[in-house]
Amino acid sequence: MILETERLYLREIVQDDFNALSKILQDEETMYAYNGAFSDTETQEWLDKQISRYHKYGFGLWAVILKETNDMIGQCGLTIQQWKDSEILEIGYLLQKEY
């Protein structure tokens, strides 16, 4: 566990989170700021990238887990983004639209 509040906790995203992650990344409305909803392949690539970032940087985007149901309802954290010729640190988050 990375962080805990009264209602939520954060942990590393794992392969078993694929279905919950798909519910977020494959929703057109949620993904409006990206180039649209992800396919299964794009979702898996995104998941693989997050897991590799834990090993490379020691941090990444974390699964947001609702304690009441133990469901993954989103992801948030620090991420490295390519910008021009540099990599920059960014705070990012995506939640299921109902949250």
Side-chain angles (χ1 to χ4, degrees), residues 10 34 40:
L10 306 182
Y34 291 77
D40 282 345

Side-chain angles (χ1 to χ4, degrees), residues 69-81:
T69 61
N70 209 37
D71 291 335
M72 179 183 173
I73 63 167
Q75 52 84 17
C76 70
L78 299 174
T79 186
I80 301 293
Q81 294 291 338

Side-chain angles (χ1 to χ4, degrees), residues 15-24 26 43 47 96:
Q15 184 60 48
D16 286 346
D17 294 321
F18 180 85
N19 289 337
L21 189 59
S22 294
K23 188 172 182 179
I24 300 164
Q26 294 182 352
T43 300
L47 178 58
Q96 290 179 19

